[in-house]
Structures are given as structure tokens and as C-alpha cells.
Amino acid sequence: MKVSIIMCMFDFSRTVRHMSMAAVSNIRRFTDMEDYELILIDNVPKFPFRDDYKVLDMDQITFVVNEKDNGYYGSLNQGAALAKGKYLCFIQGDVFVHEGWLKNMVYYLEHG
């Protein structure tokens, strides 16, 4: 495994929850490497994380739901402990990536 992408999710409101779902969809769409894993740590969700359009390939995502709030950094550490990648990429639920983002980042890490 080359890269582990780790996202901690909180749902302070439905808007934040939907933004996180859109960010995950964006990652799945624009990550043009095959050698990566996506780890989502969901802290005490009030609203469900849904894949209404079946575009996220949820069976290929490590999805952990915490019953107790581990805090942002505790949740990132929890995701890092599950990671199998050589590189860790911590990303927030309100970040939208673009085409080539991960391939370019790995290239920089290996040749920079």
C-alpha cells in the first residue's frame, strides 16, 4: 500500500455531514492512483453517512464509527494506527481535491 488517506468526520450539522460526504466522493473521483486506501473515522455521528448514489465503493473504505468522541487528533491517530500505507495523508472533511492531486504529492515526496 502506497498511501493511506485518513479523514476524521464530525457532524455538527447536516450541512457539515453532507460536505464530508461530498469530500469523500471528490476523493474517490479524482484520486487517480490505485495503490491507496481511504480510512474514515466518524466521531459520535448524529446523522448517518450515506452513499445514496452508490458511487463511493464503501466496501473498499475502512469506516470506523466511534461511540465516544476521541477528539480530532485522537481520531487521526486512530486512523493512523489502522493505516497500511507507506505515506499518510490527513485530510479534512471540507477539502475538495483536484485531478492528479495524490499522484503529484507522492511524486514530490519521492523526488522532492
Side-chain angles (χ1 to χ4, degrees):
M1 188 66 53
K2 185 79 125 190
V3 181
S4 297
I5 303 168
I6 302 164
M7 178 188 288
C8 171
M9 297 186 304
F10 293 91
D11 59 352
F12 301 115
S13 68
R14 286 187 194 272
T15 303
V16 172
R17 173 57 56 163
H18 286 281
M19 192 173 0
S20 293
M21 288 187 289
V24 170
S25 177
N26 191 261
I27 290 168
R28 298 295 285 169
R29 180 176 179 204
F30 291 119
T31 303
D32 49 1
M33 287 181 60
E34 300 214 3
D35 199 15
Y36 79 97
E37 66 178 338
L38 183 55
I39 301 171
L40 304 178
I41 307 295
D42 201 355
N43 268 320
V44 195
K46 297 176 200 159
F47 309 107
F49 187 88
R50 303 184 330 242
D51 184 15
D52 293 341
Y53 301 106
K54 308 295 183 228
V55 297
L56 300 180
D57 293 327
M58 291 298 288
D59 57 327
Q60 295 180 12
I61 296 174
T62 301
F63 190 75
V64 178
V65 177
N66 290 334
E67 298 298 321
K68 177 183 169 259
D69 186 354
N70 290 336
Y72 182 72
Y73 298 109
S75 295
L76 293 179
N77 286 331
Q78 183 182 4
L82 296 171
K84 298 177 187 93
K86 176 180 178 183
Y87 302 112
L88 301 180
C89 174
F90 297 101
I91 195 162
Q92 293 183 328
D94 60 351
V95 172
F96 292 89
V97 299
H98 54 82
E99 294 173 8
W101 75 280
L102 191 58
K103 205 177 265 190
N104 291 338
M105 186 172 63
V106 169
Y107 180 85
Y108 175 78
L109 289 170
E110 293 180 342
H111 300 96

